[in-house]
Amino acid sequence: MKNLPSVKGVMALIAIFFGNLLLSAIVMNETKGINNSEPLLMNDYLLVDSSNNLEALMEKKVSLFEDDQEDEVVEEPVVYLGMTLKELANKLDKNLKSTLTGYGMVFAKYSLKYEVDPYVALAIVLHETGCGSGRCSTLTSSCYNIGGMKGTNKCGSGPYARFRSLDAGIEAFFKNLSSNYYKKGLKTPEQIGKKYAESSTWASRIRFYVNQIQNS
């Protein structure tokens, strides 16, 4: 009866087997590296769903491409007579002097907020405050009243109102035109003048300033 191999012998055989297997893997690795000019990575041994990988890669590339696109140029909306808000403000600024210099954007925004014609509103201001001649009245420079509005918070000893700031006075003026005139159908200088002023020539003077603003 033949003697069975010892435990040490079996272990030696196993070591030789795995050693040969490792050597074969190294040879294949080096061969692939030479042929492809790149090392064989552990990922090369993994089985993956190539279709899913391709779809994910394409989505990533599309996303990167979209991010690289230039932002679309958004045109500013037209707000009045073919002008944008900025263009309207610049137009009004050309007619604002003295205390009101640089307030074109404020006038433009309140005219849109309260749905009041900006040319008519500014024309009334130029007439009522004297700003049209180059220097605003004390009522405007000291009490921020731009429309000759009356009120309980007196500006001096007269019946005219005082406001806490020029912005507040401008908004109060537009709010007054909106509530007491425009929303009641009084929109033209002729319609407004019958209620706003006692002078029979008031409307024609407002028309003069409207034309001046329009042609500036």
Side-chain angles (χ1 to χ4, degrees), residues 91-101 107 118-137 140 145-148 173-174 177 196 202 205-214 216:
K91 184 89 164 179
L92 300 180
D93 263 329
K94 293 178 182 179
N95 298 273
L96 292 170
K97 304 174 183 178
S98 186
T99 309
L100 299 179
T101 299
F107 273 80
Y119 285 3
V120 173
L122 181 53
I124 294 173
V125 170
L126 296 180
H127 174 66
E128 293 292 336
T129 62
C131 296
S133 61
R135 183 171 182 175
C136 297
S137 66
T140 299
N145 189 327
I146 67 165
F173 170 70
F174 275 96
L177 278 182
Y196 201 100
W202 187 89
R205 293 177 181 177
I206 301 305
R207 281 290 179 191
F208 169 80
Y209 283 116
V210 168
N211 292 333
Q212 176 180 293
I213 297 167
Q214 189 171 3
S216 63

Side-chain angles (χ1 to χ4, degrees), residues 30-203:
E30 291 177 348
T31 302
K32 182 175 180 180
I34 293 172
N35 293 337
N36 298 329
S37 300
E38 61 181 63
L40 181 65
L41 304 177
M42 286 301 296
N43 287 340
D44 293 332
Y45 292 104
L46 301 177
L47 295 178
V48 296
D49 185 342
S50 61
S51 63
N52 288 341
N53 274 359
L54 179 60
E55 183 178 353
L57 181 60
M58 291 300 294
E59 289 179 354
K60 184 177 181 181
K61 285 185 176 180
V62 169
S63 176
L64 290 174
F65 177 77
E66 290 176 346
D67 290 341
D68 289 338
Q69 297 299 306
E70 295 182 359
D71 294 336
E72 293 184 4
V73 177
V74 179
E75 294 184 359
E76 293 185 27
V78 171
V79 298
Y80 182 77
L81 296 180
M83 292 180 287
T84 64
L85 178 62
K86 185 176 181 179
E87 290 170 340
L88 174 59
N90 290 337
K91 184 89 164 179
L92 300 180
D93 263 329
K94 293 178 182 179
N95 298 273
L96 292 170
K97 304 174 183 178
S98 186
T99 309
L100 299 179
T101 299
Y103 276 82
M105 182 59 75
V106 177
F107 273 80
K109 287 183 176 180
Y110 283 138
S111 71
L112 298 179
K113 179 179 179 179
Y114 293 104
E115 299 180 341
V116 171
D117 189 307
Y119 285 3
V120 173
L122 181 53
I124 294 173
V125 170
L126 296 180
H127 174 66
E128 293 292 336
T129 62
C131 296
S133 61
R135 183 171 182 175
C136 297
S137 66
T138 304
L139 185 64
T140 299
S141 60
S142 298
C143 299
Y144 309 121
N145 189 327
I146 67 165
M149 293 175 288
K150 298 178 180 180
T152 54
N153 187 20
K154 305 295 184 181
C155 176
S157 58
Y160 298 104
R162 174 192 296 273
F163 298 95
R164 67 179 183 277
S165 67
L166 191 53
D167 187 282
I170 295 172
E171 182 172 17
F173 170 70
F174 275 96
K175 188 182 295 185
N176 176 54
L177 278 182
S178 176
S179 300
N180 297 318
Y181 297 88
Y182 274 74
K183 288 184 178 180
K184 294 182 179 181
L186 307 176
K187 300 180 179 181
T188 67
E190 291 73 22
Q191 294 169 334
I192 295 172
K194 293 178 181 179
K195 181 179 179 181
Y196 201 100
E198 296 178 357
S199 173
S200 59
T201 61
W202 187 89

Side-chain angles (χ1 to χ4, degrees), residues 1-6:
M1 182 175 182
K2 294 182 178 180
N3 295 328
L4 295 174
S6 64

